[in-house]
Amino acid sequence: PFDLDRLEITGAAVPVLDGVQINISIPMLAWSPAGTLLYIRGAASNLSAEVMRVGPDGGAHQVDTSWSGAFNSIALAPDGRQLAVGAGLGTGALSIWVKQLDRGPFSRLTFGGSDRRPAWAPDGRMVAFIRDSGIGGSVFGRRADGGGTERLLVHLDRQLQEVTWSPDGKWLVVRTDNGTAGAGDIVGVRTSGDTTPVPLAASRFTELSPAVSPDGRWLAYASDETGENEVYVR
């Protein structure tokens, strides 16, 4: 119960539903203004995700038949021998792990509780990742072997949803949250020296999915400028 006039809680919480499916901390339910509640019943949908390897011939097989979990993002190391994984469900339970392929150990890399979207540095020595907070978005990096301490690489006053490296390792390209129309922008930040954020694709439209070309001269991204998402290069 809640008093709208005083903006105060007026009593104890009361359970309403059990067994609502949670998908990466988001409950699968929706209210109608008339008071009807629709929801999906079941356990979290990615508690037993499996990682598959697909060859040039289209054949697919599970990387490690003894390995599954609540994976929400993955990134393959430049040498193809390791896989960085965002794992966990719900706020306070998200972290980055590194898996030795195919049937090697699965080691925890971060302990921040809200870490996701891993991205390998071009030399394979560091893994960058997004850490959520209530005061903007940050990208941290840590050595892939777990040594040393994590290092702050990027901080913006907006939430972040994607991060990728330039091929020479001198830039990180991030995409801001697109929760509202036109909110998604693509920004570049140098990894050393002057780390002032540089807008790369920032408009009243929503930009998504940044990808830097192998020679570092081109940026590909998606934009809804025409009313639907299409791919642009600049």
Side-chain angles (χ1 to χ4, degrees):
F2 189 82
D3 189 313
L4 272 177
D5 295 325
R6 294 184 297 168
L7 300 181
E8 294 178 355
I9 296 173
T10 59
V14 178
V16 176
L17 282 173
D18 289 319
V20 178
Q21 186 180 98
I22 307 294
N23 186 2
I24 313 179
S25 79
I26 301 173
M28 298 291 100
L29 55 80
W31 292 94
S32 80
T36 299
L37 174 64
L38 299 178
Y39 69 100
I40 298 176
R41 186 193 303 273
S45 63
N46 60 346
L47 279 175
S48 58
E50 300 172 348
V51 177
M52 307 296 292
R53 187 192 294 277
V54 181
D57 61 355
H61 66 274
Q62 190 175 347
V63 167
D64 187 335
T65 55
S66 65
W67 179 54
S68 62
F71 308 142
N72 50 66
S73 51
I74 60 175
L76 190 64
D79 64 4
R81 297 178 180 178
Q82 300 179 89
L83 189 72
V85 177
L89 294 171
T91 303
L94 300 175
S95 56
I96 306 299
W97 297 65
V98 172
K99 166 73 170 175
Q100 303 294 324
L101 300 178
D102 279 354
R103 290 172 174 78
F106 186 46
S107 305
R108 189 170 182 175
L109 190 66
T110 76
F111 298 83
S114 54
D115 303 332
R116 55 188 176 85
R117 294 292 184 109
W120 290 86
D123 61 7
R125 296 180 180 179
M126 177 179 283
V127 177
F129 54 92
I130 293 172
R131 174 168 293 168
D132 294 324
S133 72
I135 53 173
S138 300
V139 176
F140 286 83
R142 188 169 186 191
R143 280 173 41 184
D145 62 6
T149 58
E150 61 188 29
R151 179 161 65 96
L152 178 64
L153 302 175
V154 176
H155 179 75
L156 300 182
D157 60 0
R158 301 167 64 182
Q159 293 294 322
L160 303 178
Q161 293 295 346
E162 294 181 81
V163 58
T164 188
W165 296 76
S166 66
D168 60 9
K170 295 181 179 180
W171 288 81
L172 282 164
V173 179
V174 298
R175 189 260 294 177
T176 62
D177 185 71
N178 62 312
T180 58
D185 292 323
I186 297 172
V187 179
V189 179
R190 293 178 178 87
T191 55
S192 62
D194 182 4
T195 57
T196 303
V198 178
L200 302 178
S203 71
R204 60 187 180 89
F205 305 106
T206 297
E207 289 86 27
L208 304 167
S209 305
V212 184
S213 66
D215 64 5
R217 298 178 60 188
W218 298 88
L219 174 70
Y221 61 95
S223 171
D224 64 355
E225 182 175 347
T226 63
E228 59 183 355
N229 284 334
E230 296 182 310
V231 177
Y232 293 77
V233 175
R234 64 169 62 186

